[in-house]
Amino acid sequence: MRPLTLIRDSYEKLVLTADRLTAGNYNGIRVKNVIDWLLEST
């Protein structure tokens, strides 16, 4: 997460992971499970 926190812009930051336990929001960086992200409707 540290490299993403050092980027000072207004773009949304999203980390996709295969791990279901680390999902959440860490200092404005969203962490989502890749399967959940693929299946979510817009």
Side-chain angles (χ1 to χ4, degrees):
M1 299 298 168
R2 180 138 170 82
L4 290 176
T5 59
L6 296 175
I7 299 172
R8 299 289 180 204
D9 61 14
S10 59
Y11 292 104
E12 177 183 23
K13 292 164 184 67
L14 175 66
V15 174
L16 297 175
T17 180
D19 186 10
R20 289 191 178 270
L21 299 177
T22 58
N25 189 334
Y26 300 94
N27 294 326
I29 301 169
R30 292 187 337 163
V31 179
K32 293 195 86 165
N33 176 272
V34 67
I35 302 299
D36 294 340
W37 180 73
L38 288 170
L39 293 176
E40 77 181 18
S41 60
T42 55

